[in-house]
Amino acid sequence: MGQGKLASGFWLIIAHAAATLGLTVSLALSVARGGGSVVGCPDDGGCARVLASHFALFLGVPVACYGVMYYAGALALLAVAGRTVWGPRLLVGMSAVGVAASLVLLGIQGFLIKAWCPLCLTSATATIVLTAASISLLQFRQTPPGSVATFLASGCAWLGVAWAMLVLIQRSVPSGDDVVLARFDGVDLTLKQMRDERPEELEQIDEAGYAARRRWALDKMLGIAMEHEARKRAIGRDTLFEMEVEQKVMADEGLAAKLEQAEKIVDPKARAEAVTQLKQEARHDRMGAWSAELLGQHKSRLLIEPPYGAKVMLEYERAHIFGPVDAPVTLAVFGDYQCPICMELDRLLGELRRQYPTRVRVAYFTYPLEQHELAVRAGTIVERAANGGLVKAEAAHEALVKLRAELSEAKLAALEDGLPTDGQAERRVGASRMYAKSLGLNGAPEVFVNGRRLLGIDPTDERACMDLLRAAVERSR
């Protein structure tokens, strides 16, 4: 009897711990869903993608809020579980429902959203542990014969129901190439068949659709950000635009020097065209920089990813380009200097460039992820080195690639030694990060071959990765 009480107390503690962990995680997910910042749920990870999907709501209420109610109820039952027989029984039944719900939600993440939320996985683990502890509590409460078996059977039944729900959801919500375009005599004509037979037409549709959705979303976010900024300063949007773009463009000393040179052009028509072009370019650059600053002040994130295979018009002037200027193949890489997988990819790209010395160049876009504290500082080293030319920028890049997992403040300080100061380096790194986000890229590394996003990059499998890169280069002849 003493051993039974000891075991019952042990499982009661485990159940309390699991329910408390689940409640904490559910509260964190509720905060993140509402737009707050939460550890373990970065803006550029799977957690954000899951919470931004329409599956994160059920009957108009965030799913995380149901989790809060579920775990709060479990803690309430645990408060009486040690003194009643019905408490553990009800807890087991409730836990079985929780496991079933977790199975459905995890299936939706894996099959439909195709992204994993670490906090959701933690919640599912807490539910499983809570269920196991509840069953053990029921056993040690000396319940009548058949009680445990009955509740286990009930749990299995709930799991079966959950699996059936998942299958129905998966079949009723087609995704990607599974979309049925037509049906003839009972035979489905799918998007996959069209992609196999008319890939060029679909690529054009994908390109135009992505560009239009991206442009609208960015314009909408920027418009809202401008409204907030104008209200904060108590001025109109037109006045704000005049102050932040027009006035700062005209006050730019670099532009003034270029305009002075343009005014020396003898032909009046050519002179007017040169002046107009310089002002347009300066206005475009300032608008881009200001947009990045504005959006950076808010929790803004584009959820439209570039389609694989379709061509995306990349702004290569934002990148550091390593390799022959006239190389027919440009590999655009979005990478993070503190990301070991990114650095492994860069090592493989160096090998690829040695195999194709005249045909391949790399356009490297710095994309420091939020969770990497040293990534921005590492990016500024390349920016500062670039003031001495592309050769020095590439040398700094290679030095960071060699460090890989050994990146530290001391080693970064050693690389910074002797570099020219540049007060705008960190701003340019931040702008590069915002550009990657504005494309809808949710992580790093990402690779584009002549503007087409490459699917299946896995630098941890060196052989397969090199075969994929070589095949992409050969196709782009």
Side-chain angles (χ1 to χ4, degrees):
M1 189 71 176
Q3 289 182 344
K5 285 187 176 180
L6 185 64
S8 180
F10 170 77
W11 287 112
L12 194 60
I13 292 172
I14 295 297
H16 268 102
T20 302
L21 174 62
L23 180 61
T24 304
V25 170
S26 296
L27 286 169
L29 286 168
S30 299
V31 171
R33 169 69 190 180
S37 298
V38 174
V39 175
C41 190
D43 288 342
D44 47 17
C47 180
R49 288 187 61 190
V50 170
L51 292 179
S53 74
H54 64 278
F55 293 107
L57 288 175
F58 182 68
L59 300 178
V61 178
V63 172
C65 292
Y66 290 105
V68 172
M69 292 185 284
Y70 166 76
Y71 288 114
L75 286 170
L77 285 175
L78 283 169
V80 298
R83 300 189 298 273
T84 64
V85 174
W86 58 265
R89 291 181 180 180
L90 192 56
L91 188 60
V92 170
M94 184 176 174
S95 300
V97 174
V99 170
S102 295
L103 180 63
V104 171
L105 295 174
L106 292 178
I108 289 173
Q109 289 181 47
F111 292 115
L112 301 179
I113 305 175
K114 296 180 181 177
W116 294 104
C117 167
L119 292 181
C120 302
L121 293 173
T122 303
S123 178
T125 303
T127 300
I128 292 170
V129 173
L130 177 60
T131 303
S134 301
I135 292 171
S136 298
L137 273 174
L138 191 59
Q139 287 178 319
F140 286 107
R141 288 296 299 168
Q142 297 181 344
T143 54
S147 296
V148 176
T150 300
F151 280 106
L152 285 176
S154 174
C156 291
W158 273 108
L159 290 177
V161 171
W163 184 255
M165 288 174 60
L166 177 60
V167 171
L168 287 173
I169 291 171
Q170 188 179 5
R171 290 183 177 179
S172 63
V173 187
S175 60
D177 288 356
D178 294 330
V179 172
V180 178
L181 302 179
R183 187 169 287 116
F184 182 79
D185 284 345
V187 178
D188 291 342
L189 305 179
T190 67
L191 189 61
K192 183 179 186 307
Q193 290 172 296
M194 182 180 176
R195 193 174 295 281
D196 292 338
E197 295 176 16
R198 299 185 182 179
E200 294 83 5
E201 290 183 32
L202 272 183
E203 283 180 5
Q204 292 175 2
I205 294 171
D206 290 343
E207 290 166 13
Y210 166 74
R213 289 192 294 268
R214 175 177 178 260
R215 185 167 55 251
W216 178 85
L218 290 176
D219 288 347
K220 193 71 174 176
M221 288 193 295
L222 182 59
I224 296 170
M226 287 180 66
E227 287 287 353
H228 286 182
E229 187 68 16
R231 282 200 300 269
K232 187 168 69 174
R233 300 193 194 182
I235 57 177
R237 277 185 59 167
D238 292 342
T239 304
L240 178 66
F241 182 82
E242 178 72 23
M243 290 170 56
E244 290 294 338
V245 179
E246 297 296 339
Q247 291 180 13
K248 291 191 177 181
V249 164
M250 299 312 297
D252 185 357
E253 294 181 359
L255 175 62
K258 292 177 182 178
L259 290 174
E260 186 177 344
Q261 291 297 318
E263 291 293 346
K264 296 179 181 179
I265 298 175
V266 177
D267 181 22
K269 184 177 179 181
R271 181 171 63 247
E273 289 177 352
V275 169
T276 300
Q277 183 175 354
L278 286 171
K279 288 182 178 180
Q280 287 178 344
E281 290 175 353
R283 192 176 288 109
H284 177 269
D285 291 345
R286 174 55 195 159
M287 188 64 197
W290 184 49
S291 299
E293 291 171 14
L294 270 182
L295 293 177
Q297 296 171 13
H298 301 270
K299 286 182 67 66
S300 59
R301 184 165 165 269
L302 194 71
L303 299 174
I304 311 163
E305 292 192 19
Y308 290 105
K311 192 166 186 177
V312 178
M313 301 304 294
L314 299 174
E315 299 177 10
Y316 290 106
E317 63 272 16
R318 295 177 178 273
H320 297 289
I321 299 179
F322 310 132
V325 177
D326 58 350
V329 180
T330 299
L331 294 176
V333 180
F334 290 80
D336 175 319
Y337 286 111
Q338 200 176 346
C339 163
I341 295 178
C342 298
M343 295 300 94
E344 181 62 21
L345 174 62
D346 286 331
R347 184 185 68 80
L348 297 180
L349 289 173
E351 178 63 29
L352 189 74
R353 285 177 56 200
R354 285 188 285 274
Q355 293 178 15
Y356 300 95
T358 61
R359 291 177 52 197
V360 172
R361 65 175 186 165
V362 173
Y364 194 86
F365 293 83
T366 305
Y367 185 12
L369 303 178
E370 305 288 349
Q371 63 266 36
H372 291 160
E373 298 177 355
L374 299 178
V376 172
R377 184 177 174 185
T380 62
I381 289 175
V382 180
E383 292 293 332
R384 290 167 61 184
N387 291 324
L390 278 176
V391 174
K392 291 189 176 181
E394 185 169 6
H397 174 83
E398 292 295 334
L400 288 165
V401 170
K402 287 178 182 177
L403 286 178
R404 300 225 278 282
E406 299 176 6
L407 201 67
S408 66
E409 291 190 3
K411 291 186 177 180
L412 288 179
L415 291 176
E416 288 170 333
D417 189 34
L419 290 177
T421 57
D422 184 348
Q424 296 298 310
E426 188 169 340
R427 184 194 63 78
R428 290 197 298 274
V429 172
S432 181
R433 170 196 274 163
M434 286 301 300
Y435 176 62
K437 287 186 174 184
S438 76
L439 290 171
L441 300 179
N442 296 307
E446 288 282 0
V447 178
F448 292 75
V449 182
N450 284 348
R452 299 184 186 278
R453 191 180 181 193
L454 190 60
L455 174 65
I457 279 288
D458 181 11
T460 60
D461 187 341
E462 180 173 339
R463 188 171 183 177
C465 187
M466 286 299 293
D467 288 345
L468 181 64
L469 290 169
R470 278 192 288 262
V473 171
E474 293 297 333
R475 283 197 305 270
S476 301
R477 279 186 172 184

